[in-house]
Amino acid sequence: MDELPIQTGDDVVRIRQHVRNAAAASGLSLVDQTKLVTAASELARNTLIHGGGGVVRVEVVKSAVGRNGVRLHFADEGPGIPDVDLALTDGWTSGSGLGLGLSGSRRLVDEFELKSEPGLGTNVVVVKWSR
Ligand SMILES: Nc1ncnc2c1ncn2[C@@H]1O[C@H](COP(=O)(O)OP(=O)(O)O)[C@@H](O)[C@H]1O
Ligand SMILES: [Mg+2]
């Protein structure tokens, strides 16, 4: 398990590379590697821009049926998300973004869990399995 900081744009670039390496090591196809890296990029950017910075934990995992995968846990202690369902709506943004980061990320991975408490922060856990 590796923990990487998310405090700058350069950190986001490093996270993309780190996730690419973990995805390749766990045997994900090139297409699935790219899907996971794209999701990681959006979620890291959200942690940075909306969450005021945080961390991501990157872990290569194995499923009950013996499949390899990569699990990413993004955590921040920012303002949180008052309405999670609304935030997951295609095109909804509280700022000037495209509002496709959360909804798009959810479609690119196999497992997606978003937990947020206003005032306490936001946690997003995603998993991509090799097939
Ligand atoms: N880590 C976070 N902390 C606080 N709010 C967040 C976080 N991630 C997402 N959000 C909220 O969810 C909304 C939708 O996120 P997203 O789909 O990535 O769109 P965008 O980043 O383009 O605004 C954001 O506009 C923001 O209000
Ligand atoms: Mg976003």
Side-chain angles (χ1 to χ4, degrees):
M1 210 261 289
D2 299 308
E3 185 170 298
L4 287 77
I6 308 175
Q7 298 293 346
T8 67
D10 283 353
D11 288 341
V12 177
V13 173
R14 268 191 290 277
I15 288 162
R16 289 178 63 97
Q17 192 58 55
H18 197 94
V19 170
R20 168 73 66 181
N21 291 340
S26 77
L28 267 67
S29 70
L30 271 176
V31 169
D32 283 346
Q33 289 175 32
T34 300
K35 287 180 181 177
L36 185 63
V37 170
T38 302
S41 195
E42 289 295 332
L43 296 173
R45 213 156 272 292
N46 281 353
T47 301
L48 179 63
I49 294 168
H50 303 298
V55 296
V56 60
R57 291 189 265 279
V58 181
E59 202 174 354
V60 174
V61 290
K62 203 162 194 118
S63 79
V65 294
R67 252 184 213 164
N68 290 322
V70 179
R71 181 178 187 272
L72 308 175
H73 179 174
F74 296 84
D76 68 62
E77 295 178 350
I81 303 176
D83 187 337
V84 165
D85 288 336
L86 185 61
L88 279 163
T89 306
D90 267 344
W92 191 85
T93 176
S94 63
S96 53
L98 292 177
L100 294 170
L102 283 179
S103 55
S105 297
R106 178 154 71 165
R107 285 191 290 266
L108 290 169
V109 297
D110 297 316
E111 294 177 28
F112 183 98
E113 189 179 39
L114 169 56
K115 283 190 182 160
S116 190
E117 279 206 61
L120 291 180
T122 300
N123 285 271
V124 184
V125 178
V126 302
V127 183
K128 189 83 182 163
W129 296 111
S130 64
R131 48 202 83 244

